[in-house]
Amino acid sequence: MAPSNALRSEREKKIKALLTFADSLSTRLTSSPFDATLATDLQAQITSLPLLASTALNAKRNELDKVGTELWNTSTRLKREESQEGSGKQVLCLLRAFAFLLLESAAAGLKRKGATGADGRDEGAVVRLMKVALKSSRVCLEAGMVDVCAKVMERAATLELELVGEKETETDPESDEASRKLRVEYMVLRSALAWRQGRMDIAEHMFSKAELSGHQLDPATAESLSDLLYEIGKDQLKHGRYEAAVKWLERAHEVLGDHELERLSADAGELRLSIMQSLVQSLMKLNDIPEDSDARQRAWQLVNLMDIDYGEKMIVSLLKLELLSSGDTIDCDQYYGVLLRMIRSVVLTETNLKTIMHHVYKLKSQSNTTACKILDDLIRIRLFGADNQDWVEKATITRTWITTKDPNAEDMFEGLRDIFDEVSRHTKTTFSAPATHAAQTLIWKQIESTYSQNEYQSSEAWCALAVHDLFDKAGESNKAKIARKMILCALARQDWEAAGDAFAQMSEFGKAEAMTRYIMYKVSLRSGDAELATQCLDIVCQQSTKDATLLYACVLDAQQTGDKRQAVVALQKVLAKYDYGAPAGVDLPALLRCTVRLLSPLLVENGKINQDVAEELSKVFEGAAAKATTSKRRPINPALEHFTPVEFEWFSKISYNLALKHCTEIHPEYLTRILGACMKFILLVRDQKISEKEDEQQMTLRLLFCDFLSACAYVVLARAEDNLQASAQRYLSVRYHTNNFMKELSDYLEKADISDNVREDLISKHFQLIKFSLEASLKLSDWDSMDALFDKCFIYHDPKHYATLADLVLTIHSHMLKRKLPATYLDRILRVLQVIIDKAWRNDSSGNPAPNGSIRKLARWIRCLFQLAMGFDEKLALNCLTQAIAIAEKRKGTAERFPSLELEWLVATAWNHTVDLYCMNEDEKCGTWADLAMELAGAAEDGGALQNTLIGNRSGMQWEKADK
């Protein structure tokens, strides 16, 4: 087949397929909802259109024109029948574009009128196609189908050129005007398309070619174009391009303004109002416009024009308010006038009321007085007749809020009270519970503010307002709270009669509350009403089941007023009811200090300690220490937060001085409890790390003394305890405090700058506690712990304590023997005694001052050790003899010589052991022992008598015979 024929056949097939698809649309468009693939199929067909001019196309021209016309009419009918949304609206837009492109394809083979060789396309056909193109473009543009709109506008551009050509040849004025209007509409649509494409430069260029000035568009076209221009301007306003927004909105206003509203559609009025509203907003948004700028004047002109035509509409008033508030300052009188007009004319709905309230808030930012005035007008003029209690409550609460927030609230008090009275007269019921709570919360803040500023009469007036008849649903607790504040105001003014009247007017519920009775207790103390004071104190005591705060506060208040009798009575009730507990209170440290101060003078009666008071004081100090520790770790209420470092130091000093002063008289049980609390406070003070180095050392010294006294007291308790288990617990406490003392002492002696006397005293206490701890280990049968304790014995050199330590070692050894402990324990004990002997002799031989009788003690310890080592540790026994020889020789001829009896006993015992070894044929050992015995005898100051005796005895031994 020839190429031309093949091409023609291909074109015919394409046209046939196009017509087949177009014919199928009638059936597919009848389904509801539309076929899901319909939009996709239409999009695909539109992409291939319009068809190029050809013989095949010319043959189907009439058929294409017919089908295109039918589809266009179908789309128009469907649009009228129902409002399509989503995919349905998209299908109708595509259908119109498809119909137009079919009509354009049908006319593709025609030339303009006057052309030769074929039927020409006259101006009427071009105008027809142009109208269809513009309608299709507008629909696609409104639906956001920019690509489809651009394709249709591309074909419309060709038609526009034909219209220009026709205009040049035609002379009919009517035809010329029709073409010009179509070109104007085309240019505006091109501008709108460029806007949608983000090309505002092209939009501006196309609009400049529209040549709108000097020509009158028909009303429908003008309204349609004005709507497009409005959309462009509104979009510019939305994106903050205010100058561009003004320009396009002015154009929209001008296009629509050329026509009387009567000749436009029913929606034209709303369109004009929307254009003017957006235009005013754009003018107000222009950057940095002065008060007298053209933009502001233009905005006011438009608003005044809107006021003439649409004065009854709320939007006009809102624009006025917005314009008034856009300046540097707001003219409150003008703002009030506009708002008042809106209140009088607007239909009251929930939304409109919220709008009015919004502008009341804006007015408040400039003038609280004017804002209150407009709220009063709103309530009186509209809300009383609206029969809506919720609205009245909201407006009244807002009125209360504005009044209480004003710095000069006192000047506005009368007005608020008047509006309360009017609302009470004109409404059927009192305020709801939520509204009552809101209003009273606001008023309460004002009450507290005036009370804190000592404006007690003013505070009382606000209290009276808070219990207005409107607030009958306040609840008994809230009413009692306000009444108590009135009593406090009267108390501050020392008006006892007013306080009594306020109390008398309270309900029985309010009178029975503990807080009410506490406040009246304060009043009765100051007014001298003892009967009322007793009555109130009894009720406070009954009400205080878990929390003793108020009861302690009564004690403190009685003390502050100087009424000692009442203070003692209140304290007795506290002690009797709460067993000396220390619960959290309003000002717990102060209350505890008060308790200590009241109890301390009662501790000594007739020169003797009152042990009951001592017990009470110990409980108070323990409670205070517990609360103070809790406050440091995790404060859980305001009272605990009152424990400051100053409080810690106060309690530590008072408890320390009291324990130190009466340590020998107070029962050890109470002494340990007071000291325990004291140590907690000392640690709290020290942990604050705010004191000077000297103060910190003083705290450590106190801590050392507390541990020492506690250990001593627990030893006394342990020794006196008949119950073995209880005694064991006491001894555990002894060891606990001993360990604490040793830990603190090591750092203290290393860092502290102290005198020799203090150092010596602390070392002495160290040895004393070591002995107590060894006693505790003995009683607890904790033999393994003794090694560490014995090591600590020799950390500090102090020979004065070796005697008691040696005695304790011997006692422990005897207990070990009775318990038949393994030899390792006995060996360790003997080694300790050896260390004591070594250190005592080293101190003596160095020339240091030694206590009287030190040589006698040393000799006795050597004898004891020698005696214990005999048969157990021969090496240790021989070492004892060697040490005795050295000491005896060193002291020979001095006043402090080795005791002769001790020396003779050692010599005799050693020689007897020598004889035993001789009998057992232990010649080598026998010789060693004989030599040491003779050497020791030589140290005796008896002219050699003892040594000669031993020499004679030794000569009688037959060593050689024994060897055989």
Side-chain angles (χ1 to χ4, degrees), residues 35 62 232 317 502 548 602 621 643-644 760 870 876:
D35 183 357
N62 292 333
I232 296 173
S317 296
L602 304 177
F621 281 124
F643 275 102
T644 62
E760 184 178 350
M870 288 289 292
L876 184 58

Side-chain angles (χ1 to χ4, degrees), residues 106-151:
L110 296 178
K111 297 180 181 179
R112 292 196 306 271
K113 186 178 180 179
T116 59
D119 293 335
R121 170 160 91 179
D122 61 12
E123 182 182 1
V126 176
V127 169
R128 175 195 176 214
L129 285 174
M130 189 65 167
K131 288 181 178 180
V132 173
L134 295 178
K135 287 183 179 180
S136 178
S137 298
R138 187 182 302 109
V139 171
C140 291
L141 195 62
E142 291 173 353
M145 303 177 68
V146 178
D147 293 340
V148 179
C149 177
K151 187 174 184 66

Side-chain angles (χ1 to χ4, degrees), residues 581-593:
V586 177
D587 191 356
L588 184 58
L591 297 177
L592 291 170
R593 288 199 310 272

Side-chain angles (χ1 to χ4, degrees), residues 314 339-357 377-388 391-392 395:
M314 187 175 181
L339 201 51
L340 180 61
R341 179 182 177 185
M342 185 165 63
I343 288 172
R344 292 181 182 277
S345 60
V346 74
V347 176
L348 273 186
T349 63
E350 191 70 37
T351 301
N352 289 345
L353 183 61
K354 286 182 179 179
T355 302
I356 292 171
M357 297 304 291
D377 291 336
L378 172 65
I379 294 170
R380 290 165 178 152
I381 296 172
R382 298 300 304 274
L383 298 187
F384 282 157
D387 194 25
N388 190 317
W391 291 353
V392 174

